[in-house]
PDB file of all heavy atoms in Angstrom:
ATOM      1  N   GLU M 418      95.616 106.201 120.046  1.00 92.00           N
ATOM      2  CA  GLU M 418      96.103 107.500 120.501  1.00 92.00           C
ATOM      3  C   GLU M 418      94.840 108.409 120.705  1.00 92.00           C
ATOM      4  O   GLU M 418      93.749 108.068 120.213  1.00 92.00           O
ATOM      5  CB  GLU M 418      97.117 108.200 119.657  1.00 92.00           C
ATOM      6  CG  GLU M 418      96.556 108.490 118.197  1.00 92.00           C
ATOM      7  CD  GLU M 418      97.693 109.024 117.284  1.00 92.00           C
ATOM      8  OE1 GLU M 418      98.853 108.617 117.553  1.00 92.00           O
ATOM      9  OE2 GLU M 418      97.349 109.823 116.472  1.00 92.00           O
ATOM     10  N   ARG M 419      94.823 109.388 121.608  1.00 92.00           N
ATOM     11  CA  ARG M 419      93.743 110.286 121.897  1.00 92.00           C
ATOM     12  C   ARG M 419      93.277 110.833 120.551  1.00 92.00           C
ATOM     13  O   ARG M 419      93.954 111.174 119.578  1.00 92.00           O
ATOM     14  CB  ARG M 419      94.136 111.344 122.811  1.00 92.00           C
ATOM     15  CG  ARG M 419      94.457 110.807 124.182  1.00 92.00           C
ATOM     16  CD  ARG M 419      94.300 111.861 125.273  1.00 92.00           C
ATOM     17  NE  ARG M 419      94.538 111.336 126.630  1.00 92.00           N
ATOM     18  CZ  ARG M 419      94.242 111.934 127.806  1.00 92.00           C
ATOM     19  NH1 ARG M 419      93.540 112.971 127.742  1.00 92.00           N
ATOM     20  NH2 ARG M 419      94.670 111.408 128.886  1.00 92.00           N
ATOM     21  N   LEU M 420      91.896 111.027 120.693  1.00 89.00           N
ATOM     22  CA  LEU M 420      91.111 111.575 119.599  1.00 89.00           C
ATOM     23  C   LEU M 420      91.074 113.197 119.739  1.00 89.00           C
ATOM     24  O   LEU M 420      91.730 113.706 120.566  1.00 89.00           O
ATOM     25  CB  LEU M 420      89.745 111.002 119.521  1.00 89.00           C
ATOM     26  CG  LEU M 420      89.705 109.510 119.428  1.00 89.00           C
ATOM     27  CD1 LEU M 420      88.270 108.965 119.465  1.00 89.00           C
ATOM     28  CD2 LEU M 420      90.394 109.020 118.118  1.00 89.00           C
ATOM     29  N   THR M 421      90.284 113.820 118.902  1.00 81.00           N
ATOM     30  CA  THR M 421      90.287 115.257 118.828  1.00 81.00           C
ATOM     31  C   THR M 421      88.894 115.804 119.319  1.00 81.00           C
ATOM     32  O   THR M 421      88.036 115.000 119.627  1.00 81.00           O
ATOM     33  CB  THR M 421      90.483 115.743 117.332  1.00 81.00           C
ATOM     34  OG1 THR M 421      89.521 115.097 116.486  1.00 81.00           O
ATOM     35  CG2 THR M 421      91.839 115.364 116.993  1.00 81.00           C
ATOM     36  N   GLY M 422      88.715 117.086 119.264  1.00 78.00           N
ATOM     37  CA  GLY M 422      87.447 117.715 119.583  1.00 78.00           C
ATOM     38  C   GLY M 422      87.032 117.362 120.983  1.00 78.00           C
ATOM     39  O   GLY M 422      87.786 117.522 121.931  1.00 78.00           O
ATOM     40  N   SER M 423      85.718 117.191 121.241  1.00 80.00           N
ATOM     41  CA  SER M 423      85.166 116.846 122.643  1.00 80.00           C
ATOM     42  C   SER M 423      85.799 115.582 123.169  1.00 80.00           C
ATOM     43  O   SER M 423      85.431 115.274 124.298  1.00 80.00           O
ATOM     44  CB  SER M 423      83.615 116.808 122.609  1.00 80.00           C
ATOM     45  OG  SER M 423      83.126 115.797 121.792  1.00 80.00           O
ATOM     46  N   LEU M 424      86.327 114.751 122.412  1.00 88.00           N
ATOM     47  CA  LEU M 424      86.936 113.463 122.884  1.00 88.00           C
ATOM     48  C   LEU M 424      88.363 113.580 123.332  1.00 88.00           C
ATOM     49  O   LEU M 424      88.989 112.608 123.775  1.00 88.00           O
ATOM     50  CB  LEU M 424      86.818 112.341 121.778  1.00 88.00           C
ATOM     51  CG  LEU M 424      85.274 112.151 121.367  1.00 88.00           C
ATOM     52  CD1 LEU M 424      85.268 111.225 120.165  1.00 88.00           C
ATOM     53  CD2 LEU M 424      84.405 111.664 122.549  1.00 88.00           C
ATOM     54  N   ALA M 425      88.999 114.815 123.176  1.00 89.00           N
ATOM     55  CA  ALA M 425      90.413 114.959 123.393  1.00 89.00           C
ATOM     56  C   ALA M 425      90.855 114.675 124.844  1.00 89.00           C
ATOM     57  O   ALA M 425      91.962 114.231 125.060  1.00 89.00           O
ATOM     58  CB  ALA M 425      90.744 116.416 123.015  1.00 89.00           C
ATOM     59  N   ASP M 426      89.900 114.853 125.752  1.00 92.00           N
ATOM     60  CA  ASP M 426      90.269 114.498 127.200  1.00 92.00           C
ATOM     61  C   ASP M 426      90.037 113.029 127.661  1.00 92.00           C
ATOM     62  O   ASP M 426      90.341 112.718 128.859  1.00 92.00           O
ATOM     63  CB  ASP M 426      89.421 115.450 128.094  1.00 92.00           C
ATOM     64  CG  ASP M 426      89.913 116.872 127.982  1.00 92.00           C
ATOM     65  OD1 ASP M 426      91.056 117.062 127.727  1.00 92.00           O
ATOM     66  OD2 ASP M 426      89.005 117.740 128.227  1.00 92.00           O
ATOM     67  N   VAL M 427      89.494 112.244 126.747  1.00 95.00           N
ATOM     68  CA  VAL M 427      89.211 110.802 127.078  1.00 95.00           C
ATOM     69  C   VAL M 427      90.515 110.091 126.816  1.00 95.00           C
ATOM     70  O   VAL M 427      91.034 109.904 125.726  1.00 95.00           O
ATOM     71  CB  VAL M 427      88.118 110.343 126.194  1.00 95.00           C
ATOM     72  CG1 VAL M 427      87.813 108.868 126.502  1.00 95.00           C
ATOM     73  CG2 VAL M 427      86.927 111.204 126.244  1.00 95.00           C
TER      74      VAL M 427
END
Side-chain angles (χ1 to χ4, degrees):
E418 57 188 33
R419 291 208 183 192
L420 302 177
T421 58
S423 64
L424 302 172
D426 292 333
V427 182

